[in-house]
Amino acid sequence: MDELLIVTTGGTIDKVYFDDKSDYQVGEPQIGRILQELGVAFRFTVIPILRKDSLHVTAEDRELMRATIAAQPTRHVLVTHGTDTMVETAKVLATIPDKTIVLTGALNPARFRGSDAEFNIGTAVGAVQSQPGGVWIAMNGRVWDPARVRKNVAANRFEALG
Amino acid sequence: MDELLIVTTGGTIDKVYFDDKSDYQVGEPQIGRILQELGVAFRFTVIPILRKDSLHVTAEDRELMRATIAAQPTRHVLVTHGTDTMVETAKVLATIPDKTIVLTGALNPARFRGSDAEFNIGTAVGAVQSQPGGVWIAMNGRVWDPARVRKNVAANRFEALG
Amino acid sequence: MDELLIVTTGGTIDKVYFDDKSDYQVGEPQIGRILQELGVAFRFTVIPILRKDSLHVTAEDRELMRATIAAQPTRHVLVTHGTDTMVETAKVLATIPDKTIVLTGALNPARFRGSDAEFNIGTAVGAVQSQPGGVWIAMNGRVWDPARVRKNVAANRFEALG
Amino acid sequence: MDELLIVTTGGTIDKVYFDDKSDYQVGEPQIGRILQELGVAFRFTVIPILRKDSLHVTAEDRELMRATIAAQPTRHVLVTHGTDTMVETAKVLATIPDKTIVLTGALNPARFRGSDAEFNIGTAVGAVQSQPGGVWIAMNGRVWDPARVRKNVAANRFEALG
């Protein structure tokens, strides 16, 4: 993998804190800064498509993601996405041929101490260049087939479908 | 200073993140854990009175803080508090005699990378044992007289009253 | 991947700081604590074989690693190792059949702010369950074939063999 | 306190890690970057005099510190210093009249997660503007009179002289 396309859509990974009076908001995508500071040995391009909580991602948003990714020649694609509807988006992206696409995100914002963001991005980066093709979800240290995983909302973690 | 009384009331310093669907909430007081991990050379007791955004702190809440602190024999007192009405609370506590009381808090939650929480607690701890008495506010690296400081909400920082 | 065998051998990733008078030393393996705090959705066992700077790893040490890993039934194996001779060790482990083995480590100790440790472990975890078999090196965000990578010591990074 | 003079002399607080082959070394002073990122509400000037482990600080070095500080008009002075001989240096600086001088440092490098550096700098900043004059040591959350404190090397902490 010499080049990675990164599509950002918002979610917890990019949440920031402004002040006492405002809630948490989805801020600038963090992944570009993170990969740059880590000194990765591949080129990457970040396309910031959306900045949404994934509960608010619509069918139109998913079609936009699909079309944007399909239009790029890059074979390896990483998508950062909110966790609540990540599986749903993964299923829409599964119609894109001839690419390896990995979705990831975070259960705690990247700007938090102890966030899972860097680790999850690492898992996604390791998977995207090792999987022969298809769409995958990298969360909780696993590379999941979207057809066989769900987010357990109460436990706040991804787990195999029963 | 051999002993420090710590009264916690909530505010940004203790804000935590639960999940995509909920907002930021004021969580467990962080200061006890922080001081313990740092290995401070004084005894301290934490009294968690409130767990509120300071915009919601009422006159009754302030009277409760005042009475609680006045009832304790400890001379040195540190209060963690939301920043928006910290000055107002400080003025109420100024009626307590024979103590040095320092209020502090944070502009970014203690659990964030780069938070000002540890530094502010340090400033408060340094001030509380160095000031001869009275009520002080430790924010932005300054030990302020409550009568001469305000929070500049737009700039999100404390500054001298003009 | 339901189970991961982790073999730790020392290196920068585990370096700790004691005090003014002592140098940096290789301490307790960090990877178990890191994976536990992150809440990964797979079982793992940590076998701490060595605690060495990789410059001091001998042929006997490598044979010990090879024999230890070969003796375990687990298919997926992650090895933490110092970076200076990681490629050399990878070539020795390449004789083990029927496993996917990924070596990783860090250019900055895991206990440093901004360390690459968590990200590298993520990359290794993503690769180990995605690669069909063989031995790989996960460093600088790439999953390298040990025959085609070297550490550029002056630049302190891994790069493709010219 | 509108202005703070900061004199840096090295010590653990500024230690950095280069690579597998080198030991820990005393690097660039960290305090200026830290105060800037925290957004402190006072002006400060950093004079980097030395970059030494405090075990190697000589009588000549201490005379240089004394003369440098005495020559500056600033009333409030913060000195970062290695912990092993911090008390000895404090006693030399005690001959400087008409200033409040606080020495601080760290038991763990500022670049480590969980370092005491930011907290200690906070304690020093709180003390330097609250003490009426003289020389003080801010370590382990206490503002110590140099005549009544020692570093317990075995326990790696400062404690009251028995």
Side-chain angles (χ1 to χ4, degrees):
Chain A
M1 183 186 70
D2 288 322
E3 184 154 10
L4 179 66
L5 171 66
I6 298 170
V7 172
T8 68
T9 69
T12 292
I13 192 170
D14 292 335
K15 285 203 178 165
V16 293
Y17 182 73
F18 287 105
D19 59 48
D20 263 16
K21 274 179 282 301
S22 50
D23 295 332
Y24 241 128
Q25 296 180 26
V26 180
E28 296 280 337
Q30 300 291 309
I31 189 170
R33 176 188 60 76
I34 289 171
L35 292 178
Q36 200 149 19
E37 287 176 8
L38 287 165
V40 293
F42 54 80
R43 277 171 290 123
F44 61 89
T45 309
V46 178
I47 304 187
I49 294 192
L50 295 176
R51 201 183 278 194
K52 283 195 177 181
D53 244 309
S54 75
L55 290 171
H56 303 137
V57 169
T58 63
E60 288 72 32
D61 292 332
R62 293 196 170 92
E63 175 51 28
L64 174 65
M65 294 182 212
R66 200 203 54 72
T68 304
I69 294 169
Q72 298 287 327
T74 326
R75 179 170 175 83
H76 301 99
V77 184
L78 193 161
V79 180
T80 61
H81 196 285
T83 56
D84 280 314
T85 67
M86 188 185 282
V87 173
E88 204 175 326
T89 297
K91 288 172 182 169
V92 172
L93 301 185
T95 57
I96 304 175
D98 302 327
K99 293 189 188 293
T100 306
I101 301 170
V102 182
L103 293 90
T104 194
L107 298 167
N108 278 292
R111 300 201 69 84
F112 262 67
R113 300 177 209 262
S115 167
D116 52 334
E118 286 196 16
F119 174 73
N120 293 350
I121 293 171
T123 308
V125 161
V128 78
Q129 60 196 294
S130 301
Q131 292 286 358
V135 176
W136 306 90
I137 283 179
M139 287 297 297
N140 289 107
R142 294 290 293 274
V143 182
W144 310 91
D145 174 345
R148 300 187 187 166
V149 69
R150 62 164 189 164
K151 182 178 174 188
N152 179 328
V153 175
N156 203 25
R157 56 184 296 135
F158 283 70
E159 61 186 22
L161 267 179
Chain B
M1 182 185 70
D2 288 322
E3 184 155 11
L4 179 65
L5 171 65
I6 298 170
V7 172
T8 68
T9 69
T12 292
I13 192 169
D14 292 335
K15 285 202 178 166
V16 293
Y17 183 74
F18 287 105
D19 59 47
D20 263 17
K21 275 180 281 302
S22 51
D23 295 332
Y24 241 127
Q25 296 181 23
V26 179
E28 295 280 339
Q30 300 291 309
I31 189 169
R33 176 187 60 75
I34 290 171
L35 292 177
Q36 200 148 19
E37 288 176 9
L38 287 165
V40 293
F42 54 80
R43 277 171 291 122
F44 61 89
T45 310
V46 178
I47 304 186
I49 295 191
L50 295 176
R51 201 183 278 194
K52 282 195 178 181
D53 243 309
S54 74
L55 290 171
H56 303 137
V57 169
T58 64
E60 289 71 33
D61 292 332
R62 293 197 170 91
E63 175 50 28
L64 175 65
M65 294 182 213
R66 199 203 54 73
T68 304
I69 293 169
Q72 299 287 327
T74 325
R75 178 170 176 84
H76 301 100
V77 184
L78 193 160
V79 180
T80 61
H81 196 285
T83 56
D84 279 315
T85 67
M86 188 185 283
V87 172
E88 205 174 325
T89 297
K91 288 172 183 170
V92 172
L93 302 184
T95 58
I96 304 174
D98 302 326
K99 293 190 189 291
T100 306
I101 302 169
V102 182
L103 293 90
T104 195
L107 298 167
N108 278 291
R111 299 200 69 83
F112 263 67
R113 300 178 209 263
S115 167
D116 52 333
E118 286 195 17
F119 174 74
N120 293 350
I121 293 171
T123 309
V125 160
V128 79
Q129 61 196 294
S130 301
Q131 292 287 357
V135 176
W136 306 90
I137 284 179
M139 287 297 297
N140 288 107
R142 294 288 294 274
V143 183
W144 310 91
D145 174 346
R148 300 187 187 167
V149 69
R150 61 164 190 164
K151 182 179 175 188
N152 178 330
V153 175
N156 202 26
R157 56 185 296 136
F158 283 70
E159 61 186 22
L161 267 180
Chain C
M1 181 185 72
D2 287 322
E3 183 154 10
L4 179 65
L5 171 66
I6 299 171
V7 172
T8 68
T9 69
T12 292
I13 192 170
D14 291 335
K15 285 203 177 165
V16 292
Y17 183 73
F18 287 105
D19 59 47
D20 263 17
K21 275 181 281 301
S22 51
D23 294 331
Y24 240 128
Q25 295 180 25
V26 179
E28 296 280 339
Q30 300 291 308
I31 189 170
R33 175 187 61 75
I34 290 171
L35 292 177
Q36 200 148 20
E37 288 176 7
L38 287 165
V40 293
F42 54 80
R43 277 172 290 122
F44 61 89
T45 310
V46 178
I47 304 187
I49 295 191
L50 295 176
R51 201 182 280 195
K52 282 193 177 182
D53 243 310
S54 75
L55 291 170
H56 303 136
V57 169
T58 64
E60 288 72 32
D61 292 333
R62 293 195 170 92
E63 175 50 28
L64 175 65
M65 294 182 213
R66 200 202 53 74
T68 303
I69 293 168
Q72 299 287 327
T74 326
R75 177 169 175 84
H76 301 100
V77 184
L78 192 160
V79 180
T80 61
H81 196 285
T83 55
D84 280 315
T85 68
M86 188 185 282
V87 174
E88 205 174 325
T89 296
K91 289 172 182 169
V92 171
L93 301 184
T95 58
I96 304 175
D98 302 326
K99 291 190 189 293
T100 306
I101 301 169
V102 182
L103 293 90
T104 195
L107 299 167
N108 279 292
R111 299 201 70 84
F112 262 67
R113 298 176 211 264
S115 167
D116 51 334
E118 285 195 18
F119 174 74
N120 294 349
I121 292 171
T123 310
V125 161
V128 78
Q129 60 197 296
S130 301
Q131 291 287 356
V135 176
W136 306 89
I137 284 179
M139 287 296 298
N140 288 108
R142 294 289 294 274
V143 183
W144 310 91
D145 174 345
R148 299 187 188 167
V149 69
R150 61 166 190 162
K151 182 180 174 188
N152 179 329
V153 175
N156 202 27
R157 58 185 294 135
F158 284 69
E159 61 185 22
L161 266 180
Chain D
M1 182 186 71
D2 288 321
E3 182 155 12
L4 180 66
L5 171 65
I6 298 171
V7 172
T8 68
T9 69
T12 292
I13 192 171
D14 292 336
K15 285 201 178 167
V16 292
Y17 182 73
F18 287 104
D19 58 47
D20 264 17
K21 276 181 280 301
S22 51
D23 296 331
Y24 239 128
Q25 294 180 26
V26 179
E28 296 280 339
Q30 300 291 309
I31 189 170
R33 175 187 60 74
I34 289 170
L35 292 177
Q36 200 148 21
E37 287 176 8
L38 287 165
V40 293
F42 54 80
R43 277 172 290 123
F44 61 88
T45 311
V46 178
I47 304 186
I49 294 191
L50 295 175
R51 201 183 279 195
K52 282 194 177 182
D53 244 310
S54 75
L55 291 170
H56 302 137
V57 170
T58 64
E60 288 71 32
D61 292 333
R62 292 195 172 92
E63 175 50 28
L64 174 65
M65 294 182 213
R66 199 202 53 73
T68 303
I69 293 168
Q72 299 287 328
T74 326
R75 177 169 177 85
H76 301 100
V77 184
L78 192 161
V79 180
T80 61
H81 196 285
T83 55
D84 280 316
T85 68
M86 188 185 282
V87 174
E88 205 175 326
T89 296
K91 288 173 182 168
V92 171
L93 301 184
T95 58
I96 304 175
D98 302 326
K99 291 188 188 294
T100 306
I101 301 170
V102 182
L103 293 90
T104 195
L107 298 166
N108 278 291
R111 299 201 68 84
F112 263 67
R113 299 177 210 262
S115 167
D116 52 334
E118 285 194 19
F119 175 74
N120 294 349
I121 292 171
T123 309
V125 161
V128 77
Q129 60 196 294
S130 300
Q131 292 286 356
V135 176
W136 305 90
I137 283 178
M139 287 296 298
N140 288 107
R142 294 289 293 274
V143 183
W144 309 92
D145 175 345
R148 299 186 189 168
V149 69
R150 62 166 189 163
K151 181 179 173 187
N152 178 329
V153 175
N156 201 28
R157 58 185 295 136
F158 283 70
E159 61 186 22
L161 266 179

